[in-house]
Amino acid sequence: MSTVLSKGEKTRDKIIRKAAAVFNQRGYAGTSLSELMEETGLEKGGIYRHFESKEDLAVAAFDYAWSEIKQRRLALLDTIPTPLGKLRGMIDGFAAKPSAVPGGCALMNTAIDADDGNPVLRAHALEALREWLSYLEGLVQQGIKQGEVDSKASPAVIASIIIATLEGSLMMSRLSGDRTAVTHAHEHLNKMLDGVATK
């Protein structure tokens, strides 16, 4: 019995992994069932044996993509000992490394995609955004506590500016086809951190 369950779980994971790339590149509305079937190598029944609906699969695919992105970003920061160093590492990593899932930043793609009538997917994207904001705010708070960051600095403002600047520059770079905006964002955010760092 457990072997069958294990096989089912493996199939479900494979569907999610393959679907994540398709949804992230084409969007929820732009992804057809036939594309999902082609990508996963399964028939419609094979997919819907594991998911109640396309939306159910899209949510699982986003959660998987976000988990992969987080894992990759946090792994880069594990070796950095200080909160301010981790903030810089997050900015450096975002500017240097491509997304863990094909198609760019799953958070930005899903936020735009789910804005017009997919409340469940939108709720998952919003939760991911809050999680990222909270993580960055926590680093700023730790930096203040350890005397590394100016006590007048606002954790909420810094976290918001970092995410908005990185995501905005990524969108500009994708549209223009070059990395200039990301490079400028990277430089600007490091200067901002220089401004709040205690000497």
Side-chain angles (χ1 to χ4, degrees):
M1 190 72 178
S2 60
T3 311
V4 176
L5 185 65
S6 171
K7 188 182 172 193
E9 283 175 348
K10 279 182 186 169
T11 303
R12 189 177 191 279
D13 288 348
K14 176 191 162 191
I15 295 168
I16 291 170
R17 266 198 329 274
K18 300 275 189 182
V22 180
F23 280 122
N24 201 37
Q25 290 173 94
R26 299 187 180 280
Y28 176 78
T31 298
S32 67
L33 183 59
S34 59
E35 282 173 311
L36 292 170
M37 285 161 56
E38 187 181 333
E39 191 65 29
T40 59
L42 295 167
E43 295 298 316
K44 179 180 175 181
I47 293 172
Y48 287 132
R49 190 176 299 127
H50 297 275
F51 301 93
E52 289 175 19
S53 62
K54 181 183 165 188
E55 184 181 61
D56 186 31
L57 173 54
V59 167
F62 171 75
D63 288 346
Y64 162 79
W66 180 243
S67 170
E68 287 294 298
I69 290 164
K70 255 192 324 191
Q71 227 175 338
R72 182 177 288 190
R73 283 185 187 151
L74 295 179
L76 290 169
L77 305 183
D78 278 347
T79 56
I80 302 172
T82 65
L84 191 59
K86 285 182 193 294
L87 285 167
R88 290 190 194 280
M90 170 72 70
I91 293 162
D92 294 347
F94 193 100
K97 299 263 181 198
S99 172
V101 179
C105 179
L107 179 57
M108 180 171 68
N109 293 346
T110 305
I112 293 164
D113 190 39
D115 199 38
D116 54 356
N118 198 327
V120 179
L121 201 51
R122 188 175 184 276
H124 279 248
L126 182 58
E127 183 53 39
L129 174 61
R130 284 178 178 150
E131 190 181 2
W132 192 8
L133 282 166
S134 176
Y135 175 74
L136 295 177
E137 285 174 28
L139 288 178
V140 179
Q141 285 161 357
Q142 284 172 38
I144 291 169
K145 195 182 286 186
Q146 293 175 21
E148 207 186 12
V149 174
D150 190 325
S151 60
K152 295 187 194 73
S154 164
V157 169
I158 290 172
S160 179
I161 288 172
I162 288 174
I163 294 176
T165 305
L166 290 176
E167 292 289 356
S169 71
L170 188 63
M171 177 271 293
M172 289 171 68
S173 289
R174 280 179 66 185
L175 274 176
S176 64
D178 70 59
R179 308 263 308 160
T180 307
V182 171
T183 303
H184 290 162
H186 182 225
E187 290 167 0
H188 171 75
L189 290 173
N190 272 310
K191 279 180 190 163
M192 178 186 76
L193 291 181
D194 289 342
V196 297
T198 53
K199 303 301 175 197

